[in-house]
Amino acid sequence: MAGYLPKPVSEFHKIPNARIAIIAAMWHPQCVDAMIARAQNELMALDVRPEDISVHKIPGSLELPFAARCLFESDASLDAIIAFGVVLKGSTTHDDSVIQTVVDGFSRVSDRFHKPVINEVIGVNTIDDARARADDSIANKGVEAVFAVSELLHWKKSCLLDISDAA
């Protein structure tokens, strides 16, 4: 169930000077936009400046890995990407192939650029399931995305400091 994080929001790592791109599918804008807004607010609470957060709307979830690759290629100073989308289960298996393609694509992009792509493209049975993950509570996927990005960027910085200390 959404909304259970390993630590409270008040203990998220501050990530000042981080440059974050948010990419989002245009489908189901009420839910996706609520996730984006929550992520932006949570990032700013972690000392990320508004001008260091860019938002890019992409036609659909299938196109998000391509957008992630293009952003990393065009901006080497970008630290991470957060991706949002809602994929509704239908009467065919299209939703399964969309989700798997997105997961595989983000993995390839992250491996290629050695930077995190936080995947919050959610597969749901109903739009009400998506609304429950885009509401004003801690279950909003924007909170989970910011938790992941703050942990990874903090960890990466710590590892790099440890390596330079050893040298």
Side-chain angles (χ1 to χ4, degrees), residues 23-25 58-69 81-87 94-110 117-123:
I23 55 176
I58 310 303
S61 292
L62 272 175
E63 294 80 26
L64 291 170
F66 171 77
R69 189 189 80 214
I81 293 174
I82 297 172
F84 294 109
V86 173
V87 179
H94 180 70
D95 58 306
D96 291 333
S97 62
V98 168
I99 293 291
Q100 192 59 56
T101 300
V102 168
V103 168
D104 292 344
F106 286 154
S107 178
R108 284 191 302 276
V109 170
S110 186
V117 178
I118 307 304
N119 180 8
E120 293 296 346
V121 176
I122 58 173

Side-chain angles (χ1 to χ4, degrees), residues 137-158:
S137 76
I138 194 74
N140 186 302
K141 296 307 254 179
V143 178
E144 186 176 299
V146 171
F147 165 73
V149 79
S150 69
E151 287 291 319
L152 282 170
L153 292 180
H154 175 79
W155 173 82
K156 185 177 179 182
K157 182 178 179 183
S158 296

